[in-house]
Amino acid sequence: MNASKTGSEPSGSKPKDRKHKNSSSTSTSSDLGPRRTFHGLFGSSKQNPDSSPSKRLKLNQSTPRIDHTRAFPKIKHPGDMYNLDSTSAKARDDGGSICSIDLTQSPSSSPHKSPPNKNKSTGIRSANSRPYTGPRNLVVKNLRATPRTDPNQYYDQVWAQLDAALSAIFRNENTTYSKEELYRGVETLCRQDRAPSLYRKLCAKCREEISTWLKRPLVEGPSRTKDVDTLRVVVEAWSRWSTHLATIRSIFFYLDRSYLLHSAQASIEDMGIVEFRNHVFSDTVLKKMILQGACDLLRDARQEYELPNNNGLFQEAVKMFHVLAVYSKDFEPELMGESQRYFISWAKERATWPLAEYVKRCQQLIDLETQRCDSFGLDSTTKRGLESYIEDILVEQMQTKLLDIETVSALLEQNAVDALRLLFSLLQRKGLGEKLKPCFEAFIAKQGSDIVFDEAREHEMVVRLLKFKSQLDYVLAHSFQMHEGLGHTLREAFESFINKTRRSNMTWGTDNPKPGEMIAKYVDMILKGGVKAIPASFASGDLKRSQNEEDPNSSEDEDEEITKQLDHVLALFRFVHGKAVFEAFYKRDLARRLLLQRSASADAEKSMLTRLKSECGPGFTHNLEQMFKDIELAREEITSLKSMLEESQTKPSVDLNVNVLSASAWPSYPDVAVEIPRNIQKALAGFEDYYKMKYSGRKLAWKHSLAHCQLKAQFPQGNKEIVVSSFQAIVLLFFNDKGPREQLSYSEIQGASNLDDGELKRTLQSLACAKYRVLTKTPKGKDVNDTDTFTVNLNFHDPKYRIKINQIQAKETKEENKETHERVVADRNYETQAAIVRIMKTRKTITHAELVSEVIVATKSRGVLDPSDIKKNIEKLIEKDYMEREESKEGRNAYSYLA
């Protein structure tokens, strides 16, 4: 390199103008004089040096002035500054001398001039410093020049090394050269633009290796009896080739990333894959054996009915198919064909199995196939294809078996929730879940009809219906996944069978639906007995625990349980069309509970009344609400009467309570002839006088059959308080006028009480043959005859002070049941005739078909009428001259209204 060095001349010497060889050299030295000004450095050479401008830094008098008239040397081209001229080693004069430096010697031996001396106190260069004399050339001795090598010779040398290394890699041997050295060689060749040729040689080498050393043992090796063995050796060969390919790519990485990345040529990895696919997998013999071997592995795995523990070979084969890009084109069609044949065979073998076992096995097969797809790394398209085959072969083609009404009904009857869930999920795969509606409907209709028309278990009807409804709801929720269509089927089928009518002994030859009556009786049982009346099999778990353990919150639990039971019953009540039957029996039972004070909870009674009003409207519960009002008014009347007696200081002989009932709201009760004791008759007459004085124009009719009494009895073994009916009290009071052991015959009692035989025998039977036998019958027996005699049971004893003798009249008799059904039929006929008259009054003239249709619509809230019953009521109205028959213009049968 060139170095510029400034010399120094003695003080007072005038610098000489010298001609420099390099006219473009620059002078940048700062040591041009002891002290210089900016103007002196950069000022014009034409200025007089002796002139002293006004703005100039004043110099020391001893400081010599610089000659500004000398021009700076011309700057040479920048490149010329670094051209060393080593031809001349002689020293030149001060302006252009050459300084030679021997780089082979130590720094101390190289020529070096000491820097100019400076005054330490002032820092000014001494006067003997020489001025800038221009750059000097440096001569480097013993500089070694790199010898140039022939590129072709170098290319052959590097490829020979690479070829030897590739051969060693293919033979699993150690290479003579390091991978770094080989990588550097590849990089050098690529920088010399030999990448295309190098890539062609590499492809040829790999192709030769695959077609000869790798493929030949696979094709020409010993014959293998199983295709699985061929698949195994091919997978092993692929594994070795993949390892070799990774090593090769690491050596030729520079070629791969610098040349191949930006060219249309395949990368080294892709090239290796293509070569293996073209020469090994695409071989006519090997390809068939490889694919069949994979299918054989899958078939063996399916025969085990579980995921195999050793599935590594199949996984590696699937990975190889994916990498070779032959999965979708070659392997998947073979796999799907094999799977289709397997599913068809599987379905045929199990076509005769029970439905529950069949759907269970189908679900297991689906789960295993899904797990295999995930475990073996099969493609999502393969998974969807297998599911499609399963749905077509195992579900759609087996609809006859899956939708058999008898088989499905058997599962429903067994309450096989899991099997039904599997069946529904299978059908839903093809959108066939809705086809279970006929099976579901047939089962509900059959089972429900069997419950409704079972005369032997008539008293269990409501409990069985509630259990049946609960079972169906559970199946709908957990098996049929709350399917909307099946939910509608459940409600429609339940509504259908619960309103079926059949003239039988259960309804006394009428066509009234029996469930309405039984629901009313079940509600009466709950409201009368409370939680104790709830069947144990239908009670909730919380209630059972509270009954077994002493719970301070048991009353709240009981109220909640009663509310739940009423909700369940109302769910059945909503299906009943004929509300008239329910209303008649519910009103009769409510009357007994109110009059005999048998209600377990007043809140439950009001809650039930509110529910009925919400379900059926205020017109349905108008009479029921009036019954509650009558009881409240009766309490107020008795309180007023007692206050009046206290004010008049009149002491009544008996503690009398009277309920005044509205005849229109309460059920009708027959008048029973009976002889009332005088003291009671006097008390009744006093109340009647009081009531007529307060309410003029009202007539009271006494219903002694609904009355009950509380008697205080004295027995030798202790006094008792007995709660009995009015007829029982009348019979017992007859023994007050007799001796302790004096007998009364049946005829004497009948003559004194004036009761008919049926009523008297039931009364005596409850007193002498029931649980509490306060009378003794002679002779002994369960039945009462006309020749029997009765005495007071002096040996009667019971640990309780207050006992309650069952009241025969408190229970419904068969005659009352029959009477209620007949009254319902009669009321329905009256309602039908009233509806016909209203329609005829509006339409004036109407055809028979139109009249029947409108009557059904008008009376559907009270139950569906049979067209034959409507026709009978039409005939009755014609006989009563409300309407007449005529022919319409079209010749059809019609009717006209008679005003």
Side-chain angles (χ1 to χ4, degrees):
M1 59 182 292
N2 297 328
S4 60
K5 185 176 182 182
T6 56
S8 60
E9 291 186 357
S11 176
S13 61
K14 195 174 184 179
K16 300 179 180 180
D17 294 336
R18 299 180 182 181
K19 295 182 180 179
H20 301 281
K21 185 177 181 180
N22 297 328
S23 60
S24 62
S25 300
T26 59
S27 175
T28 59
S29 175
S30 61
D31 299 335
L32 298 180
R35 295 186 67 182
R36 302 176 186 177
T37 64
F38 291 102
H39 186 79
L41 290 173
F42 302 104
S44 175
S45 59
K46 295 181 180 180
Q47 185 177 359
N48 187 0
D50 295 331
S51 62
S52 57
S54 61
K55 293 182 180 180
R56 177 179 293 181
L57 181 63
K58 294 185 178 182
L59 305 176
N60 194 317
Q61 294 180 359
S62 62
T63 304
R65 295 188 178 275
I66 300 174
D67 186 6
H68 296 287
T69 60
R70 183 175 61 87
F72 287 96
K74 296 182 178 180
I75 300 175
K76 298 169 58 178
H77 190 274
D80 297 337
M81 297 176 64
Y82 301 97
N83 293 330
L84 300 180
D85 188 3
S86 61
T87 59
S88 177
K90 296 180 180 180
R92 300 180 181 179
D93 55 4
D94 296 336
S97 63
I98 299 175
C99 181
S100 299
I101 300 175
D102 189 357
L103 297 178
T104 61
Q105 297 179 3
S106 62
S108 61
S109 62
S110 60
H112 177 69
K113 289 186 178 181
S114 59
N117 297 325
K118 294 184 180 180
N119 191 337
K120 295 182 178 180
S121 61
T122 61
I124 301 176
R125 190 182 300 274
S126 61
N128 60 353
S129 299
R130 293 186 300 173
Y132 175 74
T133 58
R136 295 183 180 185
N137 295 331
L138 298 179
V139 179
V140 181
K141 295 182 179 181
N142 298 330
L143 182 61
R144 296 178 182 178
T146 304
R148 299 184 64 84
T149 307
D150 185 11
N152 294 329
Q153 182 181 358
Y154 180 74
Y155 175 80
D156 295 337
Q157 179 183 354
V158 173
W159 174 249
Q161 296 175 359
L162 294 173
D163 184 71
L166 290 174
S167 299
I169 292 172
F170 292 148
R171 305 298 172 269
N172 294 323
E173 299 174 357
N174 295 327
T175 58
T176 307
Y177 308 96
S178 66
K179 292 182 180 179
E180 183 179 0
E181 184 178 359
L182 297 173
Y183 176 86
R184 295 299 181 188
V186 172
E187 181 181 1
T188 304
L189 294 180
C190 291
R191 291 182 181 276
Q192 295 178 356
D193 296 333
R194 294 299 185 97
S197 175
L198 182 63
Y199 180 68
R200 287 193 296 270
K201 284 182 174 292
L202 176 61
C203 292
K205 182 67 177 178
C206 293
R207 189 178 302 111
E208 179 186 0
E209 169 64 21
I210 293 177
S211 60
T212 56
W213 298 100
L214 188 62
K215 177 181 177 182
R216 190 178 301 165
L218 301 178
V219 178
E220 299 178 358
S223 59
R224 300 176 181 85
T225 57
K226 293 184 178 180
D227 296 329
V228 176
D229 298 333
T230 302
L231 176 64
R232 182 177 289 105
V233 296
V234 171
V235 170
E236 292 173 356
W238 165 252
S239 178
R240 293 195 304 271
W241 175 248
S242 299
T243 304
H244 297 162
L245 199 60
T247 306
I248 294 171
R249 187 174 182 272
S250 65
I251 295 174
F252 289 85
F253 187 78
Y254 192 86
L255 172 67
D256 195 18
R257 306 307 295 172
S258 64
Y259 169 68
L260 299 178
L261 183 65
H262 305 288
S263 66
Q265 302 290 337
S267 64
I268 295 176
E269 183 178 4
D270 294 341
M271 178 271 297
I273 294 172
V274 171
E275 295 295 336
F276 190 91
R277 180 176 67 233
N278 294 339
H279 293 86
V280 178
F281 180 81
S282 298
D283 184 79
T284 307
V285 178
L286 290 177
K287 181 177 181 179
K288 182 178 180 181
M289 299 177 70
I290 292 171
L291 296 177
Q292 188 59 43
C295 293
D296 292 344
L297 283 176
L298 183 60
R299 183 175 62 252
D300 294 341
R302 283 170 171 165
Q303 294 297 332
E304 298 177 5
Y305 293 103
E306 59 183 8
L307 288 177
N309 296 326
N310 186 14
N311 53 8
L313 179 58
F314 190 81
Q315 287 181 344
E316 294 299 325
V318 172
K319 292 179 181 178
M320 180 184 70
F321 295 148
H322 278 294
V323 176
L324 295 178
V326 297
Y327 182 91
S328 300
K329 180 180 178 182
D330 299 311
F331 173 67
E332 190 175 26
E334 291 290 333
L335 174 65
M336 300 306 294
E338 175 68 24
S339 301
Q340 185 180 18
R341 292 188 292 271
Y342 171 74
F343 293 145
I344 292 175
S345 175
W346 191 94
K348 288 182 179 180
E349 292 176 0
R350 293 157 181 80
T352 58
W353 283 17
L355 182 58
E357 185 66 20
Y358 177 81
V359 296
K360 179 180 178 181
R361 292 291 187 178
C362 285
Q363 188 60 43
Q364 291 178 356
L365 179 63
I366 294 173
D367 295 340
L368 286 175
E369 290 296 325
T370 303
Q371 294 176 14
R372 289 191 190 100
C373 291
D374 298 336
S375 176
F376 295 154
L378 299 179
D379 201 1
S380 59
T381 57
T382 306
K383 185 176 180 180
R384 289 193 297 268
L386 293 176
E387 291 178 352
S388 178
Y389 280 151
I390 291 175
E391 293 167 0
D392 292 339
I393 298 172
L394 304 185
V395 179
E396 190 169 12
Q397 297 179 12
M398 299 294 289
Q399 289 188 56
T400 305
K401 178 180 182 64
L402 297 177
L403 298 175
D404 182 68
I405 294 180
E406 294 183 0
T407 310
V408 176
S409 297
L411 292 179
L412 290 168
E413 187 174 0
Q414 297 167 8
N415 199 21
V417 179
D418 294 335
L420 291 170
R421 176 178 54 81
L422 295 176
L423 173 62
F424 181 76
S425 62
L426 282 178
L427 292 172
Q428 277 296 91
R429 287 180 171 271
K430 296 296 291 184
L432 302 176
E434 189 118 359
K435 290 191 175 183
L436 281 173
K437 291 175 65 175
C439 305
F440 201 35
E441 183 178 5
F443 168 74
I444 296 174
K446 181 180 180 303
Q447 292 293 113
S449 299
D450 293 342
I451 295 174
V452 170
F453 298 112
D454 188 359
E455 295 187 17
R457 303 175 63 182
E458 175 184 340
H459 62 285
E460 301 176 7
M461 179 188 297
V462 177
V463 176
R464 293 171 66 188
L465 286 176
L466 291 173
K467 289 182 178 179
F468 185 52
K469 180 65 166 52
S470 177
Q471 173 189 344
L472 295 176
D473 291 340
Y474 190 84
V475 169
L476 179 64
H478 294 81
S479 298
F480 297 156
Q481 303 173 9
M482 295 302 294
H483 188 271
E484 185 177 359
L486 294 177
H488 286 306
T489 301
L490 188 155
R491 291 187 289 273
E492 291 172 359
F494 218 93
E495 185 177 1
S496 176
F497 81 77
I498 208 171
N499 290 288
K500 283 184 178 180
T501 59
R502 181 187 300 176
R503 297 182 184 274
S504 62
N505 295 330
M506 297 174 64
T507 57
W508 304 99
T510 65
D511 58 352
N512 295 330
K514 190 67 175 180
E517 172 191 348
M518 302 311 299
I519 291 174
K521 291 183 177 180
Y522 184 82
V523 173
D524 175 65
M525 180 184 69
I526 298 298
L527 295 178
K528 188 166 54 178
V531 293
K532 296 180 180 179
I534 299 175
S537 59
F538 201 67
S540 63
D542 295 338
L543 177 62
K544 293 178 181 179
R545 286 192 297 270
S546 63
Q547 290 176 350
N548 295 332
E549 303 174 0
E550 293 184 1
D551 189 359
N553 298 324
S554 59
S555 60
E556 297 180 2
D557 295 337
E558 291 179 359
D559 294 341
E560 184 178 356
E561 184 65 25
I562 292 176
T563 302
K564 289 181 179 179
Q565 292 297 324
L566 294 179
D567 290 337
H568 294 325
V569 174
L570 281 176
L572 289 181
F573 176 72
R574 294 187 185 100
F575 294 113
V576 177
H577 289 166
K579 301 293 194 298
V581 178
F582 173 85
E583 180 185 7
F585 282 93
Y586 185 82
K587 181 188 291 187
R588 178 176 287 276
D589 295 333
L590 175 62
R592 287 195 179 92
R593 293 196 302 272
L594 294 178
L595 296 177
L596 302 179
Q597 300 179 359
R598 298 288 300 274
S599 294
S601 171
D603 294 337
E605 291 283 359
K606 295 179 180 178
S607 175
M608 185 63 189
L609 187 63
T610 303
R611 286 179 168 85
L612 291 176
K613 187 175 183 178
S614 175
E615 290 291 332
C616 305
F620 184 85
T621 58
H622 175 72
N623 291 337
L624 304 179
E625 292 175 345
Q626 184 61 42
M627 294 169 67
F628 281 95
K629 292 179 181 179
D630 289 345
I631 297 299
E632 294 294 333
L633 291 175
R635 294 196 184 101
E636 295 176 1
E637 293 294 340
I638 292 298
T639 303
S640 177
L641 175 62
K642 291 181 178 180
S643 299
M644 186 183 68
L645 293 176
E646 289 179 0
E647 291 177 358
S648 61
Q649 297 182 355
T650 304
K651 186 177 182 180
S653 59
V654 294
D655 186 8
L656 181 66
N657 287 289
V658 179
N659 291 319
V660 181
L661 312 179
S662 302
S664 60
W666 290 75
S668 59
Y669 297 100
D671 294 329
V672 179
V674 63
E675 189 67 26
I676 303 298
R678 293 181 180 179
N679 56 345
I680 297 177
Q681 186 66 38
K682 182 179 179 181
L684 295 179
F687 178 83
E688 190 169 357
D689 294 339
Y690 162 78
Y691 190 82
K692 289 181 178 181
M693 179 183 63
K694 189 173 182 180
Y695 302 99
S696 60
R698 294 185 181 183
K699 181 180 180 181
L700 295 178
W702 297 97
K703 303 294 181 181
H704 301 294
S705 60
L706 302 177
H708 64 281
C709 302
Q710 295 181 7
L711 303 178
K712 292 183 178 180
Q714 297 178 356
F715 293 96
Q717 297 188 14
N719 299 335
K720 301 295 179 182
E721 184 176 313
I722 305 174
V723 180
V724 292
S725 67
S726 58
F727 295 160
Q728 291 171 331
I730 291 172
V731 171
L732 291 176
L733 290 176
F734 289 154
F735 290 90
N736 282 343
D737 299 333
K738 305 294 181 181
R741 299 184 182 277
E742 188 174 353
Q743 295 181 351
L744 287 176
S745 64
Y746 175 83
S747 58
E748 290 175 345
I749 297 175
Q750 186 178 28
S753 62
N754 199 22
L755 290 171
D756 58 73
D757 288 339
E759 196 67 47
L760 181 58
K761 287 183 178 180
R762 284 195 299 270
T763 302
L764 291 174
Q765 189 177 15
S766 65
L767 295 173
C769 304
K771 179 180 179 180
Y772 300 105
R773 300 181 181 182
V774 294
L775 298 181
T776 301
K777 184 178 77 72
T778 305
K780 295 182 178 181
K782 293 182 178 181
D783 297 329
V784 175
N785 299 318
D786 296 343
T787 58
D788 293 341
T789 58
F790 300 89
T791 58
V792 177
N793 185 7
L794 301 178
N795 297 324
F796 176 79
H797 69 279
D798 193 87
K800 297 178 182 179
Y801 172 75
R802 189 174 187 271
I803 60 176
K804 189 174 186 178
I805 299 177
N806 292 333
Q807 303 170 29
I808 300 298
Q809 71 271 23
K811 295 183 179 180
E812 183 186 46
T813 61
K814 292 182 178 181
E815 290 76 10
E816 290 177 339
N817 188 288
K818 181 180 180 181
E819 179 186 353
T820 304
H821 277 283
E822 291 176 348
R823 189 174 68 253
V824 169
V825 174
D827 292 343
R828 183 182 301 172
N829 290 330
Y830 297 147
E831 291 175 0
T832 304
Q833 293 176 17
I836 293 172
V837 171
R838 286 194 300 270
I839 294 171
M840 293 300 303
K841 190 175 182 179
T842 304
R843 298 288 297 273
K844 302 301 181 182
T845 303
I846 191 173
T847 62
H848 177 77
E850 292 175 345
L851 179 59
V852 172
S853 177
E854 293 192 17
V855 169
I856 292 176
V857 173
T859 59
K860 65 180 180 180
S861 61
R862 307 289 290 180
V864 180
L865 295 174
D866 189 83
S868 60
D869 294 335
I870 298 176
K871 187 176 181 180
K872 292 179 181 178
N873 285 284
I874 292 174
E875 296 295 336
K876 292 179 180 179
L877 291 175
I878 292 175
E879 294 177 358
K880 297 178 181 179
D881 294 334
Y882 281 95
M883 53 194 298
E884 63 180 359
R885 187 179 285 107
E886 66 177 20
E887 290 186 2
S888 63
K889 297 179 181 180
E890 294 81 4
R892 292 180 297 177
N893 189 14
Y895 306 100
S896 60
Y897 178 68
L898 299 178

